Amino acid sequence: MKNNYVVTTSFQYMIECTCPSPDHTFIIDVHKGDIITVTEEKKYVDSLGWLALVLINDYRFYMYIQELEDFVSEGKIFSVMDLDLKINYLQYKVNETLDSLDKNNFSFYAKELAKLKEIQESAAVY
């Protein structure tokens, strides 16, 4: 089973080769709305830890699992399910603030909802 993550904040990622030659690194641009697919293929490298095979755009490479967890905790990426849940929650909050005529919170929740819906629409998994 593959796990898909939607990029919510653009960033650059440096791909490091786990081979003995240290000069095999390059940087890819990861854009808001891109999909990161984490496959079931994993490997363990002594002194480095666990890596998972990921697919981003046209790239296939191994990424440290800890880095993926860091991206999730920093809010740079959301799982597809988490994105759907967040959108559902924000839609509820927008409706709630409309019912209570709370202009300040309505504006905040509506902007957040619009941002996430834009990301959702640009993602290729929908």
Side-chain angles (χ1 to χ4, degrees):
M1 184 173 129
K2 296 179 181 177
N3 296 312
N4 291 323
Y5 293 88
V6 180
V7 177
T8 58
T9 305
S10 298
F11 60 94
Q12 290 186 326
Y13 183 74
M14 184 172 66
I15 301 173
E16 298 180 46
C17 179
T18 57
C19 56
S21 178
D23 58 341
H24 289 90
T25 61
F26 61 96
I27 295 174
I28 64 167
D29 291 320
V30 182
H31 303 284
K32 182 168 53 170
D34 284 350
I35 301 297
I36 297 176
T37 303
V38 180
T39 66
E40 289 293 318
E41 189 174 331
K42 313 262 187 302
K43 71 177 182 178
Y44 182 80
V45 177
D46 286 336
S47 75
L48 295 178
W50 283 99
L51 296 102
L53 181 65
V54 298
L55 313 170
I56 302 176
N57 301 327
D58 295 330
Y59 298 102
R60 297 173 53 98
F61 58 92
Y62 284 93
M63 180 184 280
Y64 295 104
I65 292 176
Q66 183 61 48
E67 284 182 319
L68 283 169
E69 292 172 354
D70 291 344
F71 291 153
V72 169
S73 65
E74 294 168 2
K76 288 183 177 180
I77 63 174
F78 283 170
S79 70
V80 172
M81 183 182 295
D82 286 341
L83 182 62
D84 288 342
L85 288 171
K86 182 81 171 173
I87 287 172
N88 188 36
Y89 171 76
L90 289 172
Q91 185 65 55
Y92 167 77
K93 294 305 279 184
V94 165
N95 291 338
E96 185 180 58
T97 56
L98 276 173
D99 291 342
S100 65
L101 303 175
D102 184 354
K103 291 181 183 179
N104 292 333
N105 284 328
F106 170 77
S107 178
F108 171 76
Y109 290 124
K111 286 178 186 175
E112 291 298 310
L113 179 61
K115 287 179 195 175
L116 290 184
K117 281 193 170 187
E118 180 184 333
I119 292 169
Q120 184 185 45
E121 290 170 4
S122 69
V125 294
Y126 293 102

